[in-house]
Every structure is written in structure tokens, then in C-alpha cells.
Amino acid sequence: MSCFFVVDTCIDEHKGRGSYDEYIEQVVPIVERCGGKYIVRSEKITSLSPNRNPQCVIIISFPSREALTRCFESDAYKAIMNKRIESVDARGLIVEEDV
């Protein structure tokens, strides 16, 4: 069954993007090597929540939960993840298909 990784990202206007763009460039090939396919990556967001206004939303499809886990637990990903952590407020969800 497919598994989806959904993330919304808030960028602090005072802090800027930091190394987030570099992180994005480096994470794409890691995701793709693990079978991930980008479904949506957009900065055209309309938030319906007054408490959260993300500037970017990404949805990635993986062939399985195992493939998603392999991606984000890989040494390649661990080597770059601090670029995201130190730059932006990103909140992720794992959504497993159940139909």
C-alpha cells in the first residue's frame, strides 16, 4: 500500500530561509532513490487555520511505509536534516493508504 509524507513549512520572515533551499536540492535525490515521488510542492498556500500559516506544502508518495522509513532513516538523509531543522519550522505527517 502507498504511504504519503505530508509536510508544511513555516519560514520565519526575520530569519529567512537559511539553508532550506540547499536542503531541498539535496533531499530530492535521496527521496527519489527510495522510490518517493513528489506529488505536490507548492508555495501557493491558503491556510484555513488562524494559528498556522505555512509558506510551503509538500506531499510525497512512497510505495510503502518501509520505503518512507528507509528514506528518512538513511545516512544520506541524516547528513542533511539539520539544514532543515535549523532553518524552518517544518511539521510532517505520515499518511498510510487504507482503502
Side-chain angles (χ1 to χ4, degrees):
M1 289 263 170
S2 295
C3 189
F4 300 89
F5 182 70
V6 181
V7 63
D8 78 53
T9 302
C10 289
I11 300 165
D12 184 327
E13 66 183 61
H14 302 292
K15 191 169 147 184
R17 296 175 78 94
S19 57
Y20 181 66
D21 292 325
E22 185 179 330
Y23 162 83
I24 290 297
E25 284 181 30
Q26 294 175 349
V27 77
V28 169
I30 297 168
V31 166
E32 291 174 347
R33 277 195 304 269
C34 292
K37 292 176 62 176
Y38 284 79
I39 305 300
V40 172
R41 182 173 188 277
S42 180
E43 294 187 7
K44 295 178 182 178
I45 312 298
T46 301
S47 178
L48 302 178
S49 173
N51 299 324
R52 182 95 174 147
N53 191 22
Q55 285 80 29
C56 183
V57 170
I58 300 169
I59 302 173
I60 306 169
S61 172
F62 285 89
S64 66
R65 174 69 183 255
E66 292 77 19
L68 183 149
T69 300
R70 187 170 53 255
C71 177
F72 294 110
E73 290 184 359
S74 71
D75 290 340
Y77 182 76
K78 289 178 183 177
I80 66 165
M81 70 183 207
N82 280 336
K83 292 178 182 184
R84 175 190 48 80
I85 292 169
E86 294 170 357
S87 299
V88 297
D89 176 10
R91 299 182 186 186
L93 299 167
I94 296 172
V95 182
E96 295 184 65
E97 191 173 43
D98 68 353
V99 287

